[in-house]
Amino acid sequence: MINRYTRPEMGAIFSMQNKFSIWKEIEVLACEAQAELGKSGITKEEAAWIRAHADFTVERIDEIEKVTNHDVIAFTTNMAEYIDADVPQGQEPPSRWVHYGMTSSDLGDTALSYQITQAIDIIIADIKQLGEACKRRAFEFQETLCVGRTHGIHAEPMTFGMKFGSWAWALKRAQTRMEEARAVAACGAISGAVGTYSSIDPFVEEYVCEKLGLTPDPLSTQVLARDRHAQVMAALAVTASTLESIALQVRLLQQSDVIEAEEPFTKGQKGSSAMPHKRNPITAERVCGLARVVKSNAQVALDDVALWYERDISHSGAERVALADSFTALDYMFGKMQWMLDGLQTYPAKMEHNLWRTRGLIFSSKVLLALVDTGISREDAYVIVQRNAMKVWEDIQNAVDGPTYRERLEADPDAAALTQAVLDEIFDPWDFLTRKDVVFDRLKGLEF
């Protein structure tokens, strides 16, 4: 991922320095396990020497790999240079025990699992922070009236706080998915060439995994099955979709014809090089755009599941790009969404104004029920309600200052059964919201 969309903590996880540091720790732990087991010949003193002297540099590994064309061999070669540098002349090199009985995937896959858990922990923290912000702002706008829209068309009254509340619940589901994905991904394998433990005792795998907080794979062929990674990437993709959904709402609310809310516009910010009046929702658009990257990378992970026999490396290059990019992009998206929703500019007066822009049409469902209550069939009541509604729609479409929906009903003899008292109740937007506190009471119990 390019630096523009990389936050330091996540970027560090997918740096070569961090990757090789995890590789070093796995190799050292494997040596310590072999010494503890006491079967391979390595002594505890040699394991301690390896622990004290093992090191590497990314630059030297890159230099060696240009010759070996094999990153693991380049790494172990460089590590051996450090381990054996101060060994007294004539003494056997302790580095001979590094990677003993292991294959490249034992090191690479186990390290990748550990990197994934590191990255998921950041994403989970991101989710919790944004979820708590949405919950807080939901109660801030619990009593702020606005119109609900379906298909982009005014539907019925609601409160603006319900938007934040729905986002909070979506983020809670995202947290659950990421926690489940972490449990699946937190798996290591040090089982040898095709997973038979032919040259390494299962104790080594158990020892290393325990130290890293991983679970040994029960049967790992030569690699960890990539359905584990696919589940992680799917969880990332769904989470990205959730952020995209929220960002899209902000974009819609910021339209000039709506302008009920907008993302922060900071001092000195410019909206357009040609049109100085513009205040564009560029951050929300950026989140929507990056969501496409994360979602598309989930397909890469699904394609990586099918490998030849016990392994091939068709997955390797693809997942090195896709995994790092998805985690990095999603973490960046969370940072932007946190900034956006914490500072979201809201305009309750405009919400109230928009509520009445359709001249009372949003109360049609209440009119329908009220007419049914007078004894009219639902079918006949629907005709009355729609007939008057369509006349109001026509006025609105043609920018004609015609009667409101209530005024048309009052003038319609077929709706004469609706008294003024009943109409007063029908055309009160808060009458739709007598049970709204049910959803806010539920929200009180939401914890991240």
Side-chain angles (χ1 to χ4, degrees):
M1 179 55 65
I2 63 175
N3 289 336
R4 180 182 179 90
Y5 304 130
T6 302
R7 296 205 289 178
E9 188 178 6
M10 186 66 80
I13 288 175
F14 290 101
S15 67
M16 299 306 292
Q17 182 68 33
N18 185 56
K19 173 183 172 178
F20 291 138
S21 293
I22 299 169
W23 281 18
K24 183 184 80 170
E25 182 62 14
I26 290 171
E27 293 287 7
V28 171
L29 286 171
C31 290
E32 292 172 345
Q34 294 280 18
E36 184 76 20
L37 187 64
K39 292 182 179 180
S40 65
I42 182 175
T43 65
K44 291 185 178 180
E45 290 74 21
E46 287 175 309
W49 179 278
I50 291 170
R51 166 70 70 183
H53 293 81
D55 210 345
F56 66 89
T57 68
V58 174
E59 294 75 19
R60 177 59 177 152
I61 293 170
D62 288 344
E63 181 182 326
I64 297 170
E65 189 179 358
K66 289 177 182 177
V67 177
T68 63
N69 199 28
H70 196 292
D71 56 353
V72 173
I73 292 175
F75 169 77
T76 56
T77 299
N78 181 216
M79 203 164 89
E81 292 172 342
Y82 281 94
I83 292 170
D84 298 339
D86 297 325
V87 174
Q89 189 173 4
Q91 185 174 316
E92 292 180 332
S95 68
R96 71 191 189 279
W97 301 114
V98 172
H99 210 66
Y100 185 85
M102 294 169 59
T103 189
S104 297
S105 295
D106 291 337
L107 177 62
D109 276 11
T110 302
L112 180 58
S113 293
Y114 189 75
Q115 277 182 291
I116 289 173
T117 61
Q118 288 181 313
I120 289 179
D121 286 344
I122 290 177
I123 296 297
I124 290 175
D126 288 340
I127 291 171
K128 290 180 177 179
Q129 185 179 14
L130 189 61
E132 288 166 354
C134 287
K135 178 181 176 180
R136 170 176 51 79
R137 300 220 73 181
F139 287 103
E140 182 181 340
F141 295 100
Q142 183 175 354
E143 305 295 332
T144 302
L145 200 63
C146 69
V147 68
R149 299 171 175 89
T150 58
H151 307 275
I153 308 300
H154 287 202
E156 291 186 355
M158 60 181 291
T159 74
F160 199 74
M162 293 175 67
K163 293 182 182 290
F164 280 102
S166 69
W167 301 340
W169 283 111
L171 289 164
K172 181 61 181 179
R173 292 190 294 275
Q175 179 186 343
T176 300
R177 290 188 197 97
M178 291 310 307
E179 289 171 346
E180 291 172 349
R182 189 191 191 284
V184 169
C187 184
I190 301 179
S191 55
V194 290
T196 62
Y197 302 96
S198 59
S199 300
I200 195 162
D201 194 286
F203 172 80
V204 177
E205 179 181 68
E206 295 166 5
Y207 182 94
V208 173
C209 285
E210 181 182 2
K211 296 294 185 181
L212 295 177
L214 305 177
T215 301
D217 192 304
L219 201 165
S220 59
T221 68
Q222 192 179 88
V223 293
L224 292 171
R226 258 46 194 177
D227 65 277
R228 297 179 183 275
H229 305 75
Q231 183 168 343
V232 170
M233 294 287 276
L236 294 176
V238 176
T239 303
S241 296
T242 294
L243 297 190
E244 179 185 21
S245 175
I246 299 170
L248 181 59
Q249 285 265 0
V250 173
R251 291 169 61 190
L252 291 169
L253 290 167
Q254 190 163 335
Q255 290 182 102
S256 299
D257 299 307
V258 179
I259 199 62
E260 293 181 0
E262 63 179 344
E263 65 179 53
F265 194 82
T266 56
K267 184 178 180 180
Q269 183 174 339
K270 304 293 187 286
S272 166
S273 61
M275 297 168 283
H277 73 277
K278 296 292 291 296
R279 289 167 67 115
N280 301 330
I282 57 170
T283 304
E285 290 171 338
R286 191 181 307 162
V287 168
C288 289
L290 287 173
R292 298 168 190 169
V293 175
V294 181
K295 291 186 296 182
S296 64
N297 281 345
Q299 184 62 54
V300 174
L302 292 170
D303 291 341
D304 283 346
V305 174
L307 303 177
W308 283 24
Y309 299 108
E310 280 58 60
R311 73 110 19 136
D312 63 54
I313 62 166
S314 60
H315 63 90
S316 180
E319 71 187 14
R320 291 184 195 215
V321 174
L323 269 168
D325 277 6
S326 289
F327 273 111
T328 305
L330 186 59
D331 175 55
Y332 174 86
M333 289 162 63
F334 267 107
K336 289 302 177 183
M337 290 302 298
Q338 189 72 45
W339 171 82
M340 187 191 311
L341 296 187
D342 271 338
L344 188 70
Q345 303 298 299
T346 58
Y347 307 108
K350 188 61 186 294
M351 296 177 198
E352 178 98 16
H353 170 78
N354 286 342
L355 185 76
W356 296 101
R357 282 182 67 185
T358 52
R359 305 177 188 176
L361 290 179
I362 60 174
F363 302 100
S364 69
S365 61
K366 291 286 189 181
V367 177
L368 177 64
L369 295 178
L371 284 173
V372 170
D373 287 342
T374 67
I376 302 175
S377 71
R378 182 180 178 86
E379 290 72 21
D380 289 342
Y382 198 100
V383 171
I384 297 169
V385 171
Q386 188 180 48
R387 182 179 66 231
N388 286 281
M390 291 305 102
K391 292 177 181 177
V392 176
W393 269 123
E394 186 176 351
D395 288 344
I396 293 171
Q397 290 160 348
N398 293 286
V400 173
D401 292 330
T404 66
Y405 187 46
R406 176 171 180 167
E407 288 168 344
R408 287 196 176 275
L409 288 169
E410 290 172 335
D412 188 341
D414 292 335
L418 300 177
T419 66
Q420 289 299 310
V422 170
L423 289 171
D424 286 343
E425 184 177 334
I426 289 172
F427 285 86
D428 176 7
W430 288 106
D431 190 58
F432 284 86
L433 300 169
T434 56
R435 300 188 182 96
K436 69 174 176 59
D437 288 342
V438 170
V439 298
F440 287 98
D441 287 342
R442 292 170 184 163
L443 190 61
K444 288 177 183 176
L446 178 60
E447 295 183 358
F448 288 93

